[in-house]
Each structure stands twice: as C-alpha cells, then as structure tokens.
Amino acid sequence: MDEPVWSVSAVNKAVKDTLEGAFLPFWMGGEIGSILLHRSGHAYFQLKDDRSQIRACWFGGAAQCRELGVDNGSLVEVFGNLSVYDVRGEYQFNIKKLRPAGLGGLQQRFEELKQLLAKEGLFDQSRKKPIPLLPRSIGVVSSPSGAAIRDFLQILNRRFPNVCVKIYPAQVQGAGAAEQVAAGVRFFNRTGGADVIVVTRGGGSMEDLWCFNEEILAREIARSRIPVISAVGHEIDFTICDFVADLRVPTPSAAAELVIGRHDEITSRLQRSIKDMEYAVTNRLAASRARLERIAGSTVFHEPRRVVDLRRQYLDELETRLAGGAKLQLVNNSHRLERAMAALNTLNPQRQLERGYAMVFDDSGKKLVVSSDLPADTPLNIRFADGQVKVKTL
C-alpha cells in the first residue's frame, strides 16, 4: 500500500525525458508513407523500411516538402532527434533537415571531385579565357526541348534577332547526359563553328543537375580552346561545370543577357561616336566655309592688278631707300678716311724733321739713340729732313 502510484502524464514525461536525453540528433533513412502537409505549415508522415515504421514530424516543413516533390513512396534521409508526444504517449522523430535519399553520397562525390580538380589548377583564374566582345556565332549545348533553351533564344531574338546561334542537342539529365554535353563542347572545338560556347539547362535538384558534376564534362570544358559560359540551374545552384568554365552566370536568361548586352553596349557606343563625328565634321565645315568667304572677299580676288602695283611701288621705295643709304654711307666713310689720314700725317716723323729737328741713330742706322751718355768715338748717324751724316762722339 506504500508504493507510489504514477499518473499517465508523469509516466509519459519520464519516458520523454529519458528518451530525449539518451539520443543525440542523427540521420535516418526510410520511405515516406501517410504524408500530411497541414495548413499550419507542418508536415506529418510515417517513415518506414521493410520491417518497421516510426512517426515523423517536420515543424514548418510543409513548403519544403512541396518544393522537393516529397510524397508517399519517396525515399528520404532526415536529420533530427527522437521525442515523445506525451499527449498520446507516442514517440516520434522530430525532423530538422530532409534530403532525397543518396544526396549525402552525391555531396561527398561532389566535394572530392571539386578538391581534385582544384589541386590540378582547373579552377585557377589565370587559365580563364576572355569572353569575346562581339561573338559572331554562339554555340549552345542543351536540350532542344527544355525551358532553358527557350528562355535563352527568346531573349536573343528579342534583343538581337540577327545573331547566329547553333544548338547542339544533348540530354542534360540522367544516365549518359554528361557524355552528351561533353560531346557538344568537343564538337564546337573540332568544327570551329562558334566564338563562345554556352552550356545550359534549367534548375533542379542535385540529382537532376548531377551530369554537370561529372569529371568527363569538367575535363572537356577545361580542354576547350573556345571560351565556355556555364549557365546551369538557378542562382543558388553550383556545379563543377560552373567552377571550371571560363565564366559562370546564374541562369540561362542571364547568359543571353550577357552575350547580347555586349552587342547593345557596342551599338550604343558606335551611335555616340557617329554623332560625335558628325558634330566635329559640321563644325569643321562651318569654319572652312567662313574662312573661304573671308578669302573670297579679299582684294586679291577682286583686283589682282592692284596687288601687283602695290608690290611694285613697295619695291621702288625700297630701291630708293637702299640707294640713298648707300650714298650716305660712302660719304661718311670718305670723311672718316680723311680724318684718319690727317691724324696719321701729324704723327709722321718726317714732318718733324722738316720743322728743323733731327734724329740720332746708332752706326747701323736702325736703332734710335735717346741718351748722350755714350763713350768717345762712338759712331752715330744723324738723320735730317734732306739726308743724313755720320759722326763720332768726342
């Protein structure tokens, strides 16, 4: 009678505390059954295998289930923790993440190939080829019936209808798709039929886009001599093709905008250049016309004889001035010469001798004697105005 009596709620709570404390969050795989996407935004279903089943609840996951296409029979992998819904005494798996079965293995393969190709330098920016500014021909590798090629062509035809587009039809999902897309890249390189190659398809799950993560396609793009644009999936999707291509754009429409946008830019620049040239030519013609009018109004064209006469008159005046200047210069030079000759005559020793002076030279008659301090019997020459005599000192 002294044993405690538990209430149902207490038992369920104890089981809940024990169960939730015993297991850390983990991944679990199985098949979905009895799915209910409630209007509250939560998703409820059974997760089962060939022997057992467990209730699962994904709070707020109804929209993501719809986006992923999850339905009865879907094989999924869920991450979460065990819990007890103590209102009914049932344990369940509370989901935090959900992915299609096998996605974890694909993600691992993706990361391994990404690391391998990165080590080989296939993603290096230095090996990226520039996209041509004005491609004359665009090669597209895609499914000819897919939405991606329709979006691509619609933008091209609306904005630049005369551009040349060559489509290589290829499967872009499932077995053999990677080989077909790689063959398309190889075809345009072999034939030289394109200035740029666009590899494209619409969005999808990782499994849908997996062919663009295959090594055979990555290496074919890396070998391409022609620049390659990768336009695969939506903006949030990334593939190995994106990393190895020369340029990655988020969507097929963005690829068309990029290629044709360059045409629009060049066309606009050409139009501006044409207007600038027209303006410059117009101004040059106006200036030349004004100059021509000034020249046409000149006296040279109306009275050319008058111009010649004026030139002749100028030459006559010049000749007169030159002749008068030369005559005046001759007179001045004659006067200067006369003055110089008069000064020279004044300094002539002969003039001094004529005035009664004499000059005493040594015996040779060449050296002038200027002192009387001479020894006796020194022979001397005395020069007068009309001759010379020889003497000796006493």
Side-chain angles (χ1 to χ4, degrees):
M1 297 296 295
D2 294 334
E3 295 179 354
V5 178
W6 289 52
S7 67
V8 175
S9 297
V11 172
N12 283 346
K13 185 178 185 307
V15 172
K16 177 181 177 68
D17 292 341
T18 302
L19 184 64
E20 292 181 355
F23 290 90
L24 294 174
F26 60 92
W27 284 95
M28 178 172 58
E31 178 184 340
I32 289 181
S34 304
I35 188 170
L36 172 62
L37 304 180
H38 200 275
R39 63 183 181 181
S40 64
H42 307 320
Y44 304 95
F45 50 83
Q46 298 286 342
L47 194 63
K48 57 186 180 179
D49 58 20
D50 56 351
R51 295 181 58 187
S52 302
Q53 66 181 21
I54 184 174
R55 294 178 61 85
C57 176
W58 191 3
F59 295 108
Q64 296 184 54
C65 284
R66 293 189 184 95
E67 183 179 347
L68 293 171
V70 172
D71 204 348
N72 290 325
S74 297
L75 297 178
V76 296
E77 295 172 349
V78 294
F79 179 80
N81 59 282
L82 290 173
S83 180
V84 173
Y85 184 48
D86 49 7
V87 174
R88 287 202 300 264
E90 298 175 346
Y91 90 102
Q92 64 186 29
F93 191 82
N94 289 344
I95 298 173
K96 297 180 179 179
K97 298 178 183 178
L98 182 147
R99 67 192 182 194
L103 188 59
L106 290 179
Q107 186 67 36
Q108 182 177 357
R109 288 171 56 191
F110 175 88
E111 294 297 337
E112 290 175 352
L113 181 58
K114 181 181 176 183
Q115 293 179 12
L116 172 65
L117 299 181
K119 288 181 180 178
E120 294 183 17
L122 267 63
F123 303 159
D124 291 352
Q125 193 63 35
S126 59
R127 60 165 297 277
K128 304 291 185 182
K129 295 177 287 296
I131 305 302
L133 186 63
L134 288 172
R136 293 169 297 179
S137 179
I138 304 170
V140 183
V141 182
S142 186
S143 170
S145 60
I149 193 64
R150 289 198 299 270
D151 293 344
F152 186 86
L153 293 176
Q154 182 179 11
I155 293 176
L156 291 184
N157 291 330
R158 185 175 71 246
R159 300 187 60 182
F160 204 86
N162 295 326
V163 68
C164 176
V165 180
K166 300 177 181 179
I167 301 175
Y168 186 94
Q171 182 180 334
V172 291
Q173 182 176 341
E179 288 77 5
Q180 290 190 26
V181 177
V185 175
R186 190 164 52 251
F187 168 81
F188 285 116
N189 276 272
R190 185 178 69 252
T191 61
D195 297 321
V196 63
I197 301 172
V198 179
V199 175
T200 185
R201 68 147 284 165
S205 65
M206 190 174 193
E207 290 174 308
D208 295 337
L209 302 177
W210 186 251
C211 72
F212 296 95
N213 293 318
E214 294 284 0
E215 184 175 0
I216 184 175
L217 176 57
R219 296 196 179 278
E220 195 64 53
I221 292 175
R223 284 192 295 266
S224 176
R225 299 186 307 275
I226 302 172
V228 177
I229 298 175
S230 175
V232 177
H234 298 303
E235 187 170 358
I236 60 173
D237 299 322
F238 279 89
T239 65
I240 297 295
C241 179
D242 294 330
F243 295 115
V244 74
D246 298 292
L247 180 66
R248 184 255 180 184
V249 292
T251 62
S253 298
E257 294 283 350
L258 172 72
V259 175
I260 298 304
R262 292 171 178 266
H263 287 80
D264 292 345
E265 178 185 352
I266 295 299
T267 300
S268 177
R269 288 170 57 186
L270 286 175
Q271 290 175 348
R272 289 196 301 270
S273 298
I274 291 173
K275 290 182 179 179
D276 292 342
M277 291 174 62
E278 290 175 347
Y279 179 78
V281 170
T282 300
N283 287 346
R284 185 67 178 269
L285 286 175
S288 299
R289 186 177 293 109
R291 184 183 178 190
L292 180 60
E293 290 174 355
R294 289 195 303 271
I295 295 174
S298 174
T299 307
V300 175
F301 286 91
H302 294 291
E303 299 181 55
R305 178 72 181 182
R306 180 182 174 186
V307 175
V308 174
D309 291 342
L310 289 175
R311 291 297 180 184
R312 286 177 175 176
Q313 181 180 352
Y314 173 77
L315 291 175
D316 291 343
E317 292 177 353
L318 179 61
E319 181 180 359
T320 301
R321 288 197 300 271
L322 290 174
K327 183 177 181 180
L328 179 62
Q329 185 71 23
L330 181 60
V331 171
N332 290 336
N333 289 340
S334 297
H335 290 166
R336 285 199 298 271
L337 179 60
E338 291 174 355
R339 289 194 297 270
M341 291 180 64
L344 184 61
N345 288 332
T346 302
L347 299 176
N348 190 349
Q350 186 64 31
R351 295 291 300 277
Q352 302 298 326
L353 295 178
E354 290 175 354
R355 293 169 59 187
Y357 292 96
M359 291 187 294
V360 180
F361 292 87
D362 62 4
D363 187 40
S364 66
K366 297 179 179 179
K367 183 178 179 181
L368 186 66
V369 176
V370 296
S371 175
S372 62
D373 186 15
L374 297 172
D377 294 327
T378 298
L380 298 174
N381 282 327
I382 299 177
R383 184 177 299 174
F384 299 96
D386 57 351
Q388 61 182 2
V389 295
K390 292 183 178 291
V391 298
K392 290 185 179 180
T393 58
L394 297 178

